[in-house]
Amino acid sequence: MSFRLWPEDASAAARQIDALCIFLTAVSAFFVAVIALAIVYFCAKYRAGSVADRAPLAFPVMRLEIAWTVFPLLLTMVMFGWGATLYFDLQRPPADALEIVVVGKQWMWKVQHAPGAREINELHVPLGRAVKLTMTSQDVIHSFYIPAFRVKQDVVPGRYTTEWFKPTRLGTYHLFCAEFCGTAHSQMIGRVVVMEPADYASWLSGGGEAPAVAGERLYNSLGCASCHNPGSPVHSPPLAGLFGRKVQLRDGRIVTADEGYIRNSLVNPQADIVAGYEPMMPTFQNVVNEEQILQLIAYMKSLVGKPPEPAK
Ligand code: CUA
């Protein structure tokens, strides 16, 4: 068995994160060694009763002070700049990323692909394509951790968090929950399978109903249409083309209609009232579950770029 200091790397970011980690470790190790050796040396040299020169220092102390202030400052600025650059890269998924939805619960990961395929404790992704996960939890805090991709992100009830990566190597990799979430936390594990894009496409084609289609059915069965469709007698904000737009609220704030905004408008509709409308929408908390909310969001997304439905 070979000895490994690092897990295998299978994403575009992994090598870069490893390089930063090695740099930080090397700098720390260097100073630990220098300081420890100096301590041992001086302990021996100036031990009680030893013959050593104990006269006051006679060299330019100011220059030394400046040197050991400026040099560590530059070194830590390199660490800061390097680390911050990588952090921002990891926080900003590319616009063309493949979007996959993840819901965590005690104790499993539920994954929903946009064309319909669903899986549990498994995540299939194509090689060489950026993948963005939009994640939430239906109970407690979990954390979606793929060591081979060097990504880990808390999955929090009541909000959406994201994580992205670009797989660079075919294979099967560990998936862990990295947040203690109850008695079976240690069993909340799975695998990530990186496939050739063509294999991924054929794997996807065996999937079920697209979430946007399920979302449209929910939209109609929950009665959303009776207020929100054009031509409705109720004065309510139109939803076609809403996703991704800026929205002016009654209290003067301007927010982006992203996943979090739409989720909040469903479970806590009094929070963000659109300018020009009355707070009359009931809450759908406990009416729809997290996966249904995500289906409704998928439906909202599918309406972008489509002409609004004619009045019925
Ligand atoms: Cu979920 Cu630990």
Side-chain angles (χ1 to χ4, degrees):
M1 209 179 97
S2 67
F3 175 71
R4 304 184 75 107
L5 277 176
W6 267 261
E8 53 191 332
D9 56 273
S11 78
R15 287 277 170 86
Q16 299 173 38
I17 291 168
D18 288 355
L20 175 63
C21 194
I22 291 167
F23 174 73
L24 294 176
T25 309
V27 169
S28 307
F30 172 76
F31 283 104
V32 165
V34 167
I35 293 167
L37 288 174
I39 289 173
V40 172
Y41 172 73
F42 289 126
C43 280
K45 186 174 180 189
Y46 295 104
R47 70 189 182 280
S50 71
V51 193
D53 180 9
R54 290 176 168 84
L57 287 178
F59 62 90
V61 178
M62 184 53 95
R63 251 187 258 169
L64 187 66
E65 288 280 357
I66 290 172
W68 73 33
T69 304
V70 171
F71 176 65
L73 176 72
L74 294 177
L75 200 55
T76 45
M77 282 299 126
V78 169
M79 293 173 181
F80 167 72
W82 191 348
T85 310
L86 275 183
Y87 179 80
F88 280 117
D89 285 350
L90 280 176
Q91 293 299 310
R92 292 186 186 148
D96 63 346
L98 181 69
E99 298 205 20
I100 298 177
V101 164
V102 173
V103 176
K105 62 167 277 194
Q106 288 167 321
W107 287 274
M108 66 174 75
W109 295 110
K110 294 186 281 188
V111 175
Q112 170 79 68
H113 298 257
R118 300 160 67 89
E119 44 188 339
I120 286 180
N121 290 341
E122 293 212 342
L123 171 62
H124 286 73
V125 289
L127 180 73
R129 171 97 191 263
V131 175
K132 174 189 172 193
L133 305 179
T134 298
M135 309 183 291
T136 191
S137 164
Q138 65 183 58
D139 40 44
V140 301
I141 301 178
H142 305 276
S143 178
F144 200 87
Y145 179 32
I146 309 168
F149 296 168
R150 310 292 189 273
V151 288
K152 174 157 68 176
Q153 171 63 52
D154 275 8
V155 176
V156 183
R159 59 189 284 187
Y160 294 122
T161 53
T162 61
E163 172 171 296
W164 84 274
F165 49 80
K166 186 193 254 184
T168 52
R169 193 177 292 181
L170 294 174
T172 301
Y173 305 98
H174 287 297
L175 162 63
F176 294 115
C177 176
E179 184 72 56
F180 182 68
C181 55
T183 49
H185 156 72
S186 64
Q187 286 148 47
M188 196 167 165
I189 54 177
R191 57 187 202 136
V192 179
V193 182
V194 180
M195 312 170 88
E196 290 287 358
D199 295 341
Y200 175 71
S202 67
W203 178 86
L204 268 187
S205 64
E209 185 181 44
V213 174
E216 179 172 16
R217 204 174 47 239
L218 267 175
Y219 176 85
N220 290 312
S221 67
L222 290 170
C224 312
S226 64
C227 291
H228 283 288
N229 270 15
S232 156
V234 181
H235 182 57
S236 63
L239 301 181
L242 169 68
F243 189 87
R245 272 214 318 250
K246 296 259 187 263
V247 179
Q248 170 84 55
L249 300 184
R250 209 155 73 148
D251 59 13
R253 284 178 297 143
I254 295 176
V255 297
T256 301
D258 57 7
E259 288 92 346
Y261 170 81
I262 291 173
R263 185 188 183 284
N264 199 39
S265 297
L266 277 160
V267 300
N268 189 12
Q270 311 297 317
D272 299 319
I273 302 295
V274 181
Y277 294 92
E278 290 304 312
M280 60 171 81
M281 175 162 153
T283 176
F284 284 82
Q285 190 157 33
N286 305 324
V287 176
V288 286
N289 63 30
E290 290 299 339
E291 280 152 287
Q292 290 172 320
I293 293 175
L294 285 159
Q295 288 165 354
L296 286 166
I297 291 172
Y299 175 55
M300 297 286 103
K301 282 184 180 175
S302 74
L303 295 177
V304 173
K306 279 190 195 167
E309 271 182 52
K312 278 176 195 159

